[in-house]
Amino acid sequence: MARFWFCAAGAGFFLAFLVLHSRFCGSPVLREFAFQISWRTEEIPYRLDVSWPKHSEYFTGTTFCVAVDSLNGLVYIAQRGDNIQKVLVFTEDGYFLRSWNYSVDTPHGSYGHTIKKYNSFGDLVQVLGTPGKKGTGLNPLQFDNPAELYVEDTGDIYIVDGDGGLNNRLIKLSQDFMMLWLHGENGTGPAKFNIPHSVTLDSAGRVWVADRGNKRIQVFDKDSGEWLGAWNNCFTEEGPSSVRFTPDGKYLIVAQLNLSRLLFVAVPPVGSIGNCSVISSIQLADQVLPHLLDVSGKTGAIYVAEIGAKQVQKYVPLNGHFSSFHL
């Protein structure tokens, strides 16, 4: 049975998921608003799928997170708000399946600072952290508004903990929740963070962290936790809010919240981090505010959770750009 993880924090909770070998966590006017694409050195053609989802009226809160179950063709969306369903489940084709709200902490409420594991129907399976109590402890684990997590195929878990400003750290846990390594404290030097907001993993075993407050991306070795380098030359205007790879592993997709922009950045070869090189970008409508995103491993479609527009939008690659990829 599929298992799903939430980061629940006083300032918001964030959705991620594990299902076998997959990675898991509206305004009609804005949905129809045209976006601009500026190509730089290489064409990566995407178009907005204006027909997704079929029924956007289910977006009744602030949609801040999205996660794709590529194996089963499902899209999970988390939204904030009072007296609403916190988790919405759609098919990748855009049909609404179900929603659930039970035992999910309410953002800005009296609970939070936890990471929770659910099955696909919303039954609580596991809790890490202490509800309603932030902290820095490691045994037992405590959190301060964990922003996002990423679950590897092996079941190992990468957590960016620090949206509240207390911890500013990257934690790697084994599938049975043993601490494998940790980096972090507030700062600007290597392996230090200022609001680490998103984390992902590439096929070469490198961990990529959106260090939003420091306007950079930091990179680590997944096994040893060794710091491998950082990119900051692409983010002088605004730091990265979310990071995910295209299915072929050639590009890192980076969301910039206040600029309402997605960047496609060339992935460096193994053994080199070098400087960030933006290949192309998608300019979204003003003030849609892309918060977190996820990518379908089967189709390459990008799902963007927009906290300004209070919707999730889908961008699909043209001409079967990722048709050669197989799970």
Side-chain angles (χ1 to χ4, degrees), residues 237-299:
E237 295 177 272
E238 184 186 4
S241 179
S242 185
V243 287
R244 285 294 184 270
F245 288 95
T246 56
D248 59 8
K250 291 183 178 180
Y251 307 102
L252 181 66
I253 306 171
V254 181
Q256 292 179 294
L257 180 73
N258 294 303
L259 293 175
S260 292
R261 184 169 66 184
L262 305 182
L263 302 180
F264 292 81
V265 184
V267 175
V270 177
S272 172
I273 298 301
N275 289 321
C276 173
S277 177
V278 176
I279 302 303
S280 60
S281 64
I282 298 178
Q283 182 61 56
L284 312 180
D286 288 344
Q287 300 302 313
V288 301
L289 307 180
H291 188 250
L292 291 170
L293 63 86
D294 205 5
V295 178
S296 170
K298 277 187 177 178
T299 67

Side-chain angles (χ1 to χ4, degrees), residues 202-206 208 221 228 249 267-274:
D202 69 13
S203 59
R206 296 176 293 190
W208 299 71
D221 179 86
L228 300 178
V267 175
V270 177
S272 172
I273 298 301

